[in-house]
Amino acid sequence: QVQLVESGGGLVQAGGSLRLSCVASGSIFSINSMRWYRQAPGKQRELGAAITRGGYTNYADSVKGRFTISRDNAKNTVYLQMNSLKPEDTAVYYCNADIFLATTGLREYWGQGTPVTVSS
């Protein structure tokens, strides 16, 4: 089995910063792309940032220039550095990854989410 566990969420004032982490554990053979999604109250879940195993990144327009996604392949960990936070960044942030297991092949996995609240 695979688990994705996020951490680093919390309450921050507008203009502040937070760093989210997500660690994948289990009988992992390899991890392809890793992503951060977010879901604001009453809204659909949306992709915020993604990173390939080789480090290629892409961002939603709403976070471009403020958020940075990175990963440590040796630690099976993906990070999201969030700067210049705005109240509209308030959401539950979910880690998502394409993980290859020797037993089940390539599948998509989700974390349980970590809440981020930005006060004005």
Side-chain angles (χ1 to χ4, degrees), residues 49-69:
I51 184 168
T52 66
R53 183 171 180 81
Y56 177 81
T57 60
N58 68 282
Y59 299 90
D61 288 342
S62 57
V63 307
K64 202 172 293 183
R66 300 186 299 120
F67 291 9
T68 302
I69 189 170

Side-chain angles (χ1 to χ4, degrees), residues 62-112:
S62 57
V63 307
K64 202 172 293 183
R66 300 186 299 120
F67 291 9
T68 302
I69 189 170
S70 61
R71 63 190 286 173
D72 184 331
N73 291 332
K75 296 181 179 180
N76 290 338
T77 300
V78 63
Y79 306 97
L80 186 67
Q81 178 66 44
M82 305 186 294
N83 298 328
S84 302
L85 282 161
K86 305 174 181 180
E88 51 263 44
D89 294 318
T90 295
V92 177
Y93 284 72
Y94 297 90
C95 177
N96 169 277
D98 299 329
I99 300 177
F100 189 90
L101 305 182
T103 52
T104 58
L106 188 66
R107 288 187 178 180
E108 183 180 42
Y109 292 88
W110 289 88
Q112 81 288 351

Side-chain angles (χ1 to χ4, degrees), residues 17-30:
S17 298
L18 283 176
R19 189 192 195 209
L20 305 183
S21 300
C22 172
V23 181
S25 62
S27 302
I28 296 170
F29 184 78
S30 66

